[in-house]
């Protein structure tokens, strides 16, 4: 072989050997860098319980081919991080969305959160201290889960002194959660299994404006509404009440008691609530014997629903009433005195809608002075 050819092959071999060695060292350096980056980004999102190690502790997997590094001390939850199970929109940094994800536990709630949504999951319990870090919470949505009263920490809401709205409807609660913070404005507990509301269950909730307890099994309310001086709406429909709740607040504007078993109302029952506008008591067991003459003669009430009861006569109502629903009773006479004590040009009812269908009244039983008394009525159904 010519000398020139031999020299060229020798140089090519040396270059190839040198290049292979260079690539191997570069690959090793890159691998070490990648392993270090992997260790730094590894994160453990295990749920937190008091008996277990703190959630969100950093983990550092070992790598035999990497340079040894000192292992840092375990860190507690980082208060600004969003749990892996949830979404925290960057443009709404105080909200955390964990709804509809088949969750069986409550993830850690960062301290900056004000609005947290856990609805539509499979959560069965709220461990003690679950919200101790999130003391700024204002809205807490836990509805449509499987939470039972025996699995709710007794002081779980105690530190939420800014909480305004609590949604726990459609769960397995058998009693009201508590104690609840005084800041609460809305309490949603419909579609549970609550059977009794003790008189002190809502004590101290002076800022509460709306209470939703429909579709439970409540047979006794006692005087639990007394002292709720800001209460505007209370919904107790679809329960097992046999008497009206005692001590309506003076601030009350809407009272919903339909689908119960109430058969009587005291004469001055509504007089303590001078702002009351809407009263719904359909599908109860009311009779004229259980009503005093002026039970519904309240100047503030604008809408009164007494349909599907056992009334035989039209109860006396105030001339300011605008909508009266009496269908589905046993009424057999049209008494104009129920609407106007005196019938003349200056005295008349403001009634606009009157429903008397499904009763025993004949169409020809309407008295001749009815048009003068009910001159503003646009709908009269008999």
């Amino acid at each position: 072989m010519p000398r020139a050819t031999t020299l060229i092959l020798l140089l090519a071999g040396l270059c190839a050997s040198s290049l292979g060695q260079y690539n191997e060292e570069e690959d090793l350096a890159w691998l070490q860098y990648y392993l270090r980056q992997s260790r730094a980004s590894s994160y453990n999102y295990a749920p937190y319980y008091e008996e277990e190690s703190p959630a969100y502790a950093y983990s550092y997997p070992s790598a035999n081919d990497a340079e040894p590094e000192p292992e840092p001390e375990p860190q507690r939850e980082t208060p600004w991080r969003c749990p892996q199970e949830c979404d925290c929109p960057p443009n709404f940094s105080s909200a955390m969305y964990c709804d509809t994800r088949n969750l069986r536990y409550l993830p850690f709630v960062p301290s900056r959160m004000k609005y947290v949504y856990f609805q539509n999951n499979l959560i069965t319990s709220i461990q003690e201290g679950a919200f101790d870090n999130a003391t700024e919470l204002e809205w807490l949505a836990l509805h449509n889960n499987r939470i039972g009263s025996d699995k709710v920490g007794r002081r779980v809401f105690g530190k939420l002194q800014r909480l305004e709205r609590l949604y726990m409807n459609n769960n397995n609660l058998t009693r009201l959660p508590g104690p609840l913070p005084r800041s609460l404005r809305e309490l949603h507990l419909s579609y549970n299994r609550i059977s009794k509301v003790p008189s002190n269950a809502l004590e101290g909730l002076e800022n509460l404006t709306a209470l939703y307890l429909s579709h439970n099994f409540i047979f006794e309310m006692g005087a639990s509404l007394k002292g709720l001086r800001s209460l505007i709406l209370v919904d107790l429909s679809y329960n097992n009440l046999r008497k009206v709740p005692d001590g309506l607040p003076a601030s009350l504007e809407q009272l919903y008691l339909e689908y119960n078993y109430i058969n009587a109302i005291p004469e001055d029952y509504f007089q303590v609530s001078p702002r009351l506008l809407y009263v719904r008591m359909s599908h109860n067991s009311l009779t004229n014997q259980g009503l005093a003459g002026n039970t519904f003669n309240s100047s503030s009430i604008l809408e009164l629903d007494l349909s599907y009861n056992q009334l035989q006569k039209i109860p006396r109502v105030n001339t300011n009433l605008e909508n009266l629903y009496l269908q589905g009773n046993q009424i057999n006479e049209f008494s104009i005195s129920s609407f106007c004590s005196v019938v003349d040009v200056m005295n008349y009812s403001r009634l606009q809608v009157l429903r008397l269908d499904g009763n025993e009244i004949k169409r020809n039983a309407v008295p001749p002075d009815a048009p003068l008394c009910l001159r503003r009525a646009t709908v009269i159904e008999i």
Side-chain angles (χ1 to χ4, degrees), residues 66-294:
E67 296 180 3
E69 295 181 5
E71 184 173 342
E73 293 293 327
Q75 299 181 21
R76 288 192 173 273
E77 304 88 348
T78 308
W80 56 84
R81 289 200 180 265
C82 185
Q84 177 177 264
E85 304 90 338
C86 308
D87 290 327
C88 306
N91 59 344
F92 194 15
S93 60
S94 60
M96 186 171 82
Y97 296 90
C98 313
D99 55 300
T100 320
R101 295 160 198 251
N102 291 322
L103 294 179
R104 297 179 181 273
Y105 60 89
L106 285 174
F108 170 73
V109 182
S111 58
R112 73 173 187 272
M113 295 303 168
K114 294 183 178 180
Y115 313 96
V116 179
Y117 304 92
F118 291 118
Q119 71 269 26
N120 304 323
N121 280 296
L122 304 173
I123 299 169
T124 59
S125 63
I126 307 176
Q127 66 272 18
E128 198 74 69
F131 307 115
D132 282 4
N133 187 63
T135 55
E136 302 295 315
L137 275 182
E138 296 180 10
W139 288 33
L140 178 56
L142 291 161
H143 51 288
N144 298 331
N145 277 286
R146 301 176 180 179
I147 302 170
S149 291
D150 294 336
K151 295 186 178 181
V152 178
R154 295 185 63 183
R155 298 176 299 276
V156 74
F157 303 112
K159 293 186 178 181
L160 304 181
Q161 297 304 311
R162 297 189 179 183
L163 188 66
E164 294 185 357
R165 290 172 174 84
L166 176 60
Y167 298 84
M168 295 191 71
N169 39 303
N170 202 6
N171 276 284
N172 296 325
L173 299 175
T174 55
R175 60 179 180 270
L176 268 67
L180 297 168
R182 294 176 179 268
S183 57
L184 202 62
R185 294 184 178 274
E186 291 186 15
L187 180 57
H188 298 255
L189 295 172
S190 298
Y191 292 95
N192 276 285
R193 301 177 181 180
I194 301 169
S195 59
K196 185 178 180 181
V197 181
S199 295
N200 62 346
L202 301 168
E203 188 174 0
L205 301 184
E206 297 181 353
N207 294 306
L208 192 67
T209 60
L211 175 62
Y212 298 90
L213 284 167
S214 68
H215 294 87
N216 277 280
F217 303 99
I218 301 173
F219 67 90
E220 184 178 346
M221 284 290 295
S224 55
L225 302 180
K226 190 175 182 179
L228 304 180
R229 61 183 186 181
S230 300
L231 193 64
I232 293 176
L233 181 153
V234 57
D235 187 354
L236 288 163
S237 58
Y238 293 89
N239 276 288
N240 295 328
L241 292 173
R242 298 187 178 275
K243 59 174 293 187
V244 291
D246 297 329
L248 293 184
S251 57
L252 196 64
E253 296 180 6
Q254 303 177 49
L255 176 63
Y256 303 136
L257 292 168
E258 60 263 42
Y259 288 92
N260 278 284
Y261 300 94
I262 300 169
N263 56 21
I265 305 174
E267 182 172 8
D268 58 349
Y269 183 69
F270 299 110
Q271 303 302 321
V272 297
S273 302
R275 301 178 183 177
L276 192 60
L277 300 173
Y278 306 100
V279 177
R280 297 178 183 172
M281 300 192 66
S282 66
H283 297 274
N284 275 278
S285 303
L286 292 174
T287 65
N288 290 98
Q289 290 73 29
L291 302 177
N294 287 311

Side-chain angles (χ1 to χ4, degrees), residues 47-64:
Y48 170 66
Y49 296 94
E50 285 186 333
E51 294 78 14
E52 300 176 358
S53 59
Y56 298 96
Y58 288 98
S59 59
Y60 293 85
S62 59
N64 296 329

